[in-house]
Amino acid sequence: MRDLLDDLQNCLDPHEAARASQQRPLPRRFYKDVTLGEAEDGFRILLDGRPVRTPARAIFAVPSRELGEAVADEWRRQEKEINPHLMPLTRLINVALDGVARDPEASAAEIVRYAGTDLICYRAEGPERLVARQGEMWDPVLDWLRQEHGARFVLSAGIVHVAQPEESLARIDALVPRDALRLTALVSLTSLLGSALLSLALFHGRVTPAEAWAAAHVDEDWNIEQWGEDDLATSRRAARQVEMQAAADILRLLA
């Protein structure tokens, strides 16, 4: 499972993507038409009538026409070359079909593990305005989990580890989907946001993608306000936000 998270993370850094592209020549676009075909296994992406396959040679198929059209648009937007770093939906679905689908319980367990040391349970010791901002953005998620799902989480100031109740983690486990596509999207969101609880709130419609992104970057935004932006960090963050939106789009288009 850690390998899966590493694979997802390696796709999020634009500088790593550029370096990878330089090391391996991109394949040239070999097709003219991209269409969507319906079959027993769902909706397939067809390149000049031939179905796309995953890296493991499985047929690339999704259960939703809306998601299929969004993926087809990624293939249509490729010009002279096929650049997988510009195809976040395609990459996530490849991970789902070739990886997560083989052992969904391992992926679900990783999300629950994240919840055990979740970002929103560790609060700054100061300054007061930062502490207040964290509470404003994070407390509603914890309130929702407590009030609607009986999952109570212990807060810590600073970086002192606190063990979360096993019952609460069991309730989190029950909120995690087991189908490969939604589960892969949730794994990606958890990695990108650094929070399983924010990711689950997004999955269950308690926050929007923009709200989840802002909540995950409270500390970073505070530091930017104090010290200014770093161009490299800003570029990487923008690339990661594109990946986050792709994962959120999968959840939305499968709803």
Side-chain angles (χ1 to χ4, degrees):
M1 183 59 208
R2 176 56 54 189
D3 291 340
L4 169 60
L5 288 173
D6 289 343
D7 289 344
L8 289 171
Q9 283 293 86
N10 288 339
C11 296
L12 309 183
D13 187 325
H15 305 281
E16 291 298 327
R19 185 165 58 183
S21 297
Q22 292 172 357
Q23 292 173 348
R24 282 184 285 177
L26 295 174
R28 296 189 64 81
R29 174 168 171 161
F30 58 87
Y31 55 90
K32 292 183 179 180
D33 297 320
V34 182
T35 56
L36 196 65
E38 189 170 0
E40 292 183 1
D41 55 357
F43 296 90
R44 299 179 175 184
I45 310 301
L46 305 177
L47 307 180
D48 294 337
R50 296 183 178 181
V52 169
R53 292 182 178 270
T54 70
R57 306 303 298 162
I59 293 291
F60 188 108
V62 296
S64 157
R65 178 180 293 276
E66 292 78 8
L67 180 56
E69 288 291 358
V71 175
D73 283 341
E74 287 189 337
W75 286 88
R76 293 182 183 114
R77 286 194 294 269
Q78 303 306 298
E79 296 181 352
K80 293 182 179 180
E81 298 173 323
I82 302 172
N83 188 343
H85 297 290
L86 301 179
M87 306 172 75
L89 291 175
T90 300
R91 287 190 284 104
L92 279 173
I93 295 168
N94 280 334
V95 171
L97 298 177
D98 285 351
V100 173
R102 298 176 182 176
D103 189 2
E105 289 304 321
S107 298
E110 184 68 14
I111 293 171
V112 176
R113 187 190 69 78
Y114 256 84
T117 56
D118 206 87
L119 166 72
I120 69 174
C121 294
Y122 290 83
R123 307 299 174 92
E125 297 178 285
E128 186 175 329
R129 286 172 53 209
L130 174 57
V131 175
R133 190 179 299 182
Q134 288 176 337
E136 178 184 350
M137 300 187 111
W138 296 349
D139 287 351
V141 173
L142 295 174
D143 291 343
W144 162 65
L145 289 167
R146 184 181 67 255
Q147 294 168 7
E148 296 193 21
H149 301 285
R152 297 176 179 273
F153 285 83
V154 181
L155 303 187
S156 175
I159 59 173
V160 178
H161 174 71
V162 290
Q164 300 298 343
E166 289 297 325
E167 181 180 357
S168 295
L169 296 179
R171 292 180 184 273
I172 292 301
D173 182 71
L175 294 174
V176 177
R178 267 25 183 211
D179 65 284
L181 291 180
R182 289 181 177 88
L183 185 52
T184 301
L186 198 59
V187 168
S188 181
L189 286 169
T190 297
S191 178
L192 289 160
L193 298 176
S195 169
L197 303 185
L198 285 175
S199 301
L200 284 167
L202 173 56
F203 171 57
H204 289 279
R206 305 302 300 191
V207 297
T208 65
E211 289 168 340
W213 187 253
H217 292 82
V218 171
D219 294 355
E220 184 176 318
D221 287 340
W222 174 267
N223 288 329
I224 289 173
E225 290 174 16
Q226 309 311 308
W227 309 108
E229 291 191 72
D230 173 84
D231 289 343
L232 181 59
T234 298
S235 176
R236 286 177 169 167
R237 175 167 166 170
R240 290 167 63 83
Q241 189 169 9
V242 170
E243 299 293 329
M244 184 278 299
Q245 187 59 56
D249 284 345
I250 287 178
L251 298 179
R252 176 178 58 83
L253 295 170
L254 288 174

